């Protein structure tokens, strides 16, 4: 399996350009099949999750034309309507977000069948709120043999109150409601930037969605959706990850192609612990010269501190002075990586959904295992700050959501390479000395 080998100890300095938002792209790529026209989508992150979803979309007969690494044209015209619109196990097992095709296909064809997504390394990941929304719109939903089947004679708008703020359920039900008859109101909706991006994309196809970005989304169903050209927003979490790269390595990074408003919770926390943040129209600069101080964090739905930045921030605080407390309120199992970080010398204690972190001066290098996407990125940054050679295993997780992660870190002065044999590790060690 591929690994990252890292020679740490150097501050990261320079500029990095942020790609399109993975969690917006996954909803948008699924929504694109809701028209027989052609959707030309630009600024798509070229990562494993988007590429797997494109395979799933092609597998049901949609036309996918890759114009470049980051631009794709999709048409739902060729979708096999005679079948039961099954999204095969292999795709859902690879990425949960294949379940977005449930809402898209139900909305357009009034039927869809998707393999039940499994749990993953950060929690059980139920989908009861998705099902609640589809049923409220008039669909019959059945779970059997590991598959979710949804079908409806008619989809009729409804007033839906989500019991839990859910990004996935908000996007999935919003898609189905876009082509339902009449009006739908989604209450207690998620407000993340990627929700707004998917709503804007659907509106560019002729949908009538208002209020995305607030906790009440109003949707007037339309009869059909048409072609569009769309560019995906920058990735809030990739941007935040590189902001903490400056904090963890005491560097100076200009993070370009961002929407600063989407980064406010992250910027505020970094400033609070002593980082210097300069905000520009579409860039944020993070400068850290001295050891940062402690703080407390509770992850919350947007605009609160994002759960997808929890590992990166914890690793920052593990090098700060004093004691920090992090409460993970979104997922029940998102501290697994702290066992790995302890192997690099971190002083952390987990009690339920709270981590108590005693800051240390420096990590020591080690061989560590990435348990999931964001923690994997965090462990790489920990390796870049530690003296000596660190190996991060399980980098396929990181490649799910970060395009050319090692290339962008190298451009900032990071000494990191993707390797898969002991020989390549030795070669790297000889090269960097
Ligand atoms: C999305 O997952 C993101 N994934 C996650 O990012 C992100 O961590 C999460 O939102 C929260 O922001 C994508 O967008 C592809 P949720 P999602 O539904 O939609 C509970 C990454 O690193 N819940 O908002 O699955 C759930 O258990 C990934 O890019 C229900 O109870 O998250 C959790 O506790 C990791 N019932 C909470 O809601 C449901 O039907 C939030 O989950 C759905 C969710």
């Amino acid at each position: 399996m591929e690994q990252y080998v890292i020679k740490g100890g150097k501050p990261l300095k320079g500029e990095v350009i942020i790609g399109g938002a993975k969690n917006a792209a996954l909803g948008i790529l699924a929504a694109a099949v809701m028209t027989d026209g052609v959707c030309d989508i630009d600024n798509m992150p070229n990562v494993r999750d988007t590429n797997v979803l494109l395979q799933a979309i092609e597998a049901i007969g949609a036309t996918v034309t890759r114009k470049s690494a980051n631009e794709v044209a999709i048409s739902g015209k060729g979708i096999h309507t005679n079948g039961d619109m099954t999204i095969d196990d292999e795709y859902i097992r690879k990425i949960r977000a294949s379940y977005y095709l449930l809402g898209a296909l139900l909305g357009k064809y009034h039927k869809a069948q998707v393999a039940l997504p499994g749990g993953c390394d950060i929690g059980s990941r139920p989908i009861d709120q998705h099902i609640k929304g589809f049923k409220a719109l008039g669909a019959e939903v059945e779970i059997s043999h590991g598959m979710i089947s949804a079908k409806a004679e008619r989809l009729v708008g409804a007033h839906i109150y989500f019991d839990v703020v859910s990004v996935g359920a908000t996007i999935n039900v919003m898609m189905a409601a876009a082509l339902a008859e009449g009006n739908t109101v989604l209450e207690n909706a998620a407000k993340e930037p990627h929700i707004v991006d998917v709503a804007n994309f659907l509106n560019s196809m002729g949908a009538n969605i208002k209020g995305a970005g607030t906790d009440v989304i109003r949707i007037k169903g339309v009869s059909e959706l048409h072609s569009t050209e769309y560019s995906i927003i920058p990735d809030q979490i990739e941007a935040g990850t590189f902001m903490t790269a400056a904090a963890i390595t005491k560097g100076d990074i200009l993070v370009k192609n961002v929407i600063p408003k989407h980064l406010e919770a992250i910027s505020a926390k970094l400033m609070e612990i002593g980082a210097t943040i300069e905000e520009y129209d579409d860039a944020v600069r993070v400068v850290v010269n001295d050891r940062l101080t402690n703080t407390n964090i509770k992850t919350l739905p947007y605009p609160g501190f994002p759960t997808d930045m929890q590992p990166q921030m914890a690793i920052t605080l593990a090098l700060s002075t004093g004691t920090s407390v992090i409460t993970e309120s979104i997922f029940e199992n998102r501290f697994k990586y702290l066992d790995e970080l302890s192997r690099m010398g971190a002083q952390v204690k987990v009690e339920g959904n709270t981590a108590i972190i005693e800051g240390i001066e420096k990590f020591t290098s080690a061989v560590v295992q990435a348990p999931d996407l964001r923690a994997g990125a965090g462990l790489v940054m920990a390796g870049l700050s530690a003296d000596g050679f660190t190996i991060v295993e399980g980098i396929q997780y990181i490649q799910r959501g970060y395009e050319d992660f090692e290339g962008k870190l190298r451009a900032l002065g990071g000494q990191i390479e993707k390797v898969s044999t002991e020989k390549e590790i030795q070669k790297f060690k000889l090269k960097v000395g």
Side-chain angles (χ1 to χ4, degrees):
M1 289 296 269
E2 285 184 320
Q3 308 162 319
Y4 282 138
V5 57
I6 296 157
K7 169 94 182 311
K10 273 177 65 184
L12 295 183
K13 294 185 187 274
E15 300 185 353
V16 62
I17 295 179
I18 298 305
K22 167 180 83 82
N23 294 344
L26 294 170
I28 286 168
L29 294 178
V33 307
M34 295 177 77
T35 174
D36 287 346
V38 178
C39 294
D40 197 307
I41 298 159
D42 194 9
N43 202 33
M44 179 195 74
N46 180 25
V47 296
R48 189 167 163 273
D49 279 13
T50 49
N51 289 320
V52 168
L53 186 56
L54 287 172
Q55 288 170 341
I57 287 169
E58 254 184 334
I60 56 172
T63 313
V64 173
T65 311
R66 200 66 180 254
K67 296 190 159 180
S68 76
N70 303 108
E71 185 177 358
V72 67
I74 296 173
S75 166
K77 191 169 185 178
I79 288 177
H80 315 308
T81 49
N82 51 351
D84 49 14
M85 303 291 187
T86 298
I87 307 303
D88 196 318
D89 284 28
E90 64 163 315
Y91 300 113
I92 198 85
R93 281 214 191 97
K94 285 181 184 167
I95 57 158
R96 300 168 39 78
S98 313
Y99 64 24
Y100 282 145
L101 288 169
L102 201 61
L105 295 171
L106 181 66
K108 185 180 178 196
Y109 300 103
H110 291 181
K111 63 180 173 179
Q113 182 168 254
V114 177
L116 255 177
C120 72
D121 293 287
I122 59 175
S124 63
R125 315 293 291 274
I127 59 166
D128 57 302
Q129 299 300 306
H130 301 238
I131 294 168
K132 173 179 180 173
F134 294 145
K135 285 183 172 172
L137 294 172
E140 285 167 46
V141 181
E142 189 198 336
I143 292 183
S144 59
H145 309 297
M147 302 292 283
I148 320 166
S149 311
K151 61 176 189 282
E153 287 306 310
R154 293 170 62 207
L155 285 179
V156 180
H159 196 131
I160 300 162
Y161 188 93
F162 288 120
D163 305 312
V164 177
V165 175
S166 161
V167 168
T170 302
I171 288 174
N172 230 344
V173 178
M174 181 167 71
M175 283 193 281
L179 288 176
E181 297 165 41
N183 300 338
T184 294
V185 178
L186 302 182
E187 300 249 22
N188 202 25
K191 304 186 276 192
E192 274 71 4
H194 26 295
I195 307 278
V196 179
D197 213 27
V198 176
N200 290 342
F201 175 72
L202 284 164
N203 283 339
S204 78
M205 294 168 76
N208 185 332
I209 300 171
K210 292 186 173 47
T214 74
D215 53 9
V216 182
I217 299 177
R218 298 177 193 285
I219 302 153
K220 278 191 179 15
V222 296
S223 53
E224 66 173 5
L225 297 174
H226 55 66
S227 301
T228 186
E229 290 186 3
Y230 197 80
S231 190
I232 294 170
I233 54 168
D235 193 309
Q236 165 204 31
I237 304 302
E238 186 192 15
T241 302
F242 281 97
M243 290 168 74
T244 54
I248 293 166
T249 64
K250 292 197 184 57
D252 176 348
I253 299 178
L254 181 64
V255 184
K256 298 172 75 171
N257 187 35
V258 300
I259 299 172
K261 171 113 186 87
H262 293 165
L263 305 173
E264 279 177 349
I266 302 160
S267 300
K269 272 299 166 187
L270 287 173
M271 277 190 280
E272 188 184 315
I273 62 175
T276 302
I277 305 273
E278 293 168 12
E279 268 190 22
Y280 303 94
D281 286 349
D282 61 354
V284 170
R285 184 179 174 199
V286 182
V287 186
V288 175
N289 296 312
D290 309 310
R291 193 168 172 198
L292 297 168
T293 58
N294 61 316
T295 184
N296 297 332
I297 288 179
K298 180 173 183 179
T299 64
L300 289 168
Y302 190 85
F305 192 87
T307 175
D308 290 349
M309 279 301 300
Q310 180 256 93
Q312 302 91 314
M313 201 64 199
I315 290 165
T316 300
L317 295 172
L319 292 172
S320 293
T321 58
T323 303
S324 299
V325 177
I326 295 190
T327 306
E328 172 54 65
S329 75
I330 308 290
F331 291 110
E332 68 270 23
N333 184 24
R334 199 166 196 168
F335 284 131
K336 267 173 63 181
Y337 67 94
L338 288 174
D339 293 336
E340 299 298 307
L341 196 67
S342 306
R343 305 182 64 247
M344 298 178 75
Q347 301 293 313
V348 295
K349 197 166 62 169
V350 176
E351 287 172 5
N353 67 343
T354 299
I356 297 131
I357 301 168
E358 303 285 344
I360 60 170
E361 188 87 32
K362 204 119 174 91
F363 294 132
T364 55
S365 54
V367 178
V368 291
Q369 173 71 34
D372 63 67
L373 163 62
R374 307 300 177 185
L379 289 168
V380 168
M381 299 192 292
L384 284 166
S385 81
D387 291 331
F389 289 97
T390 290
I391 302 268
V392 178
E393 297 176 333
I395 65 169
Q396 69 279 11
Y397 286 109
I398 300 170
Q399 293 165 330
R400 292 187 53 177
Y402 290 94
E403 185 173 346
D404 191 20
F405 191 49
E406 69 276 10
K408 292 185 177 183
L409 289 168
R410 269 201 297 273
L412 291 167
Q415 294 181 298
I416 175 173
E417 231 163 74
K418 197 174 3 183
V419 294
S420 39
T421 64
E422 186 52 35
K423 191 161 169 282
E424 287 172 326
I425 293 173
Q426 293 316 319
K427 211 167 126 198
F428 174 81
K429 287 184 175 179
L430 282 172
K431 186 170 76 171
V432 299

